[in-house]
Amino acid sequence: MNIMDFNVKKLAADAGTFLSRAVQFTEEKLGQAEKTEFDAHLENLLSKAECTKLWTEKIMRQTEVLLQPNPNARIEEFVYEKLDRKAPSRMNNPELLGQYMVDSGNEFGPGTAYGNALIKSGETQKRIGAADRELIQTAAINFLTPLRNFIEGDYKTITKERKLLQNKRLDLDAAKTRLKKAKAAEARAASEQEVRIAQSEFDRQAEITRLLLEGISSTHAHHLRCLNDFVEAQMTYYAQCYQYMLDLQKQLGSFPSTALANHNQSSSTCVPSSSSTTPSTSVTASLSSISNSAASSTFVELKSSSGSRKARVLYDYDAANSSELSLLADEVITVYSIPGMDSDWLMGERGNQKGKVPITYLELLN
């Protein structure tokens, strides 16, 4: 029974305090009561904390978008994180593109120039996908997690203490209001004692809040170190991607500059000369002259004879039409000339396959 009485009295006291704060807050908004202002230093600290929280949330959200552009995937990861379960592993976009390239290359045939290039490109995309996963993991640990810990930890504590400070301020101002209204000496003495207690509690809470807010500077220093880690992770990622693509370009870029001219010659009909020459025909003519000058006397002798020779393929070549023969670098084929053939081309044979091949892709063997 005594415990029940105590709980009822406490409930009544809490309700009285809440009502007193509500009345004080309302009168302040209506301009009917005075309000104790925080000192300038504390106001600056509160503003700095609010600003830090606002921009930290924005940076954190946009970093998550940068690392995972798919909103559905972000929601799924959030749900699994809240359930304290690991999200199922799925291919990311570069890995999926890489797999499609590899599968299509195998379908077209790894022995063809296009199929071989697709497989090489697909493997590179997969390596980029693996680097992407490593960037996401590193950024999550070294950058996003510290930012989230501040929002969900430190700032929540600051918000809690700030709310307590606001309540203590309302209690202090309500006590001051009652002191002004007190008429009898006994009532004034009680009100003065109440003001002193409220002032002491307000000062104590203001000091606690101030100490927490001054820790924002340390938070900035910590976030700076995390930002450096994130920048370093990005630098590593982009350096890896650049190196992967550079290696791929070297593998696919072994085509000589005359390839464009050869393709244009084999796939287009003769166009009568006119006073207006387009840029593409100018480039083709220029490349053709380079190709013609590059033909060695050995090729000239072969073209003037009726015999055949073995030739090593220097570069991969993808046939432009059914009259040409696709080539793979380093393979050996048989080549010969037929009457009326363009000076830049020979007939090539590989088993039961034959077709025109550009001489700039060949090296005749003794």
Side-chain angles (χ1 to χ4, degrees), residues 109-117 120 251-252 254-267 313-331 333 344-346 348 350 355-362:
T112 65
Y114 184 43
N116 184 264
K120 290 177 180 177
Q251 295 178 54
L252 302 182
S254 56
F255 300 96
S257 60
T258 54
L260 177 61
N262 292 334
H263 274 277
N264 287 341
Q265 288 176 355
S266 63
S267 59
V313 178
L314 299 175
Y315 317 102
D316 291 348
Y317 178 74
D318 196 10
N321 53 52
S322 59
S323 69
E324 298 180 10
L325 180 66
S326 293
L327 304 173
L328 286 176
D330 295 327
E331 71 172 327
I333 62 172
D344 290 336
W345 296 80
L346 288 170
R350 181 202 304 113
K356 294 193 299 182
V357 293
I359 63 175
T360 51
Y361 283 64
L362 303 174

Side-chain angles (χ1 to χ4, degrees), residues 202-223:
F202 170 77
D203 292 341
R204 178 177 175 277
Q205 186 58 40
E207 185 62 25
I208 293 173
T209 306
R210 182 181 292 105
L211 290 173
L212 284 173
L213 292 171
E214 287 174 347
I216 291 294
S217 296
S218 298
T219 299
H220 284 191
H222 178 52
H223 287 181

Side-chain angles (χ1 to χ4, degrees), residues 70-113:
N70 188 337
N72 293 329
R74 291 201 303 274
I75 293 173
E76 181 186 55
E77 291 172 359
F78 175 79
V79 171
Y80 275 98
E81 181 182 349
K82 291 302 179 183
L83 295 175
D84 198 21
R85 294 175 59 186
K86 185 177 180 181
S89 179
R90 293 188 178 90
M91 284 187 174
N92 55 29
N93 290 332
E95 289 173 331
L96 193 58
L97 174 60
Q99 189 60 52
Y100 287 161
M101 285 183 168
V102 171
D103 291 345
S104 61
N106 287 323
E107 183 74 19
F108 297 147
T112 65

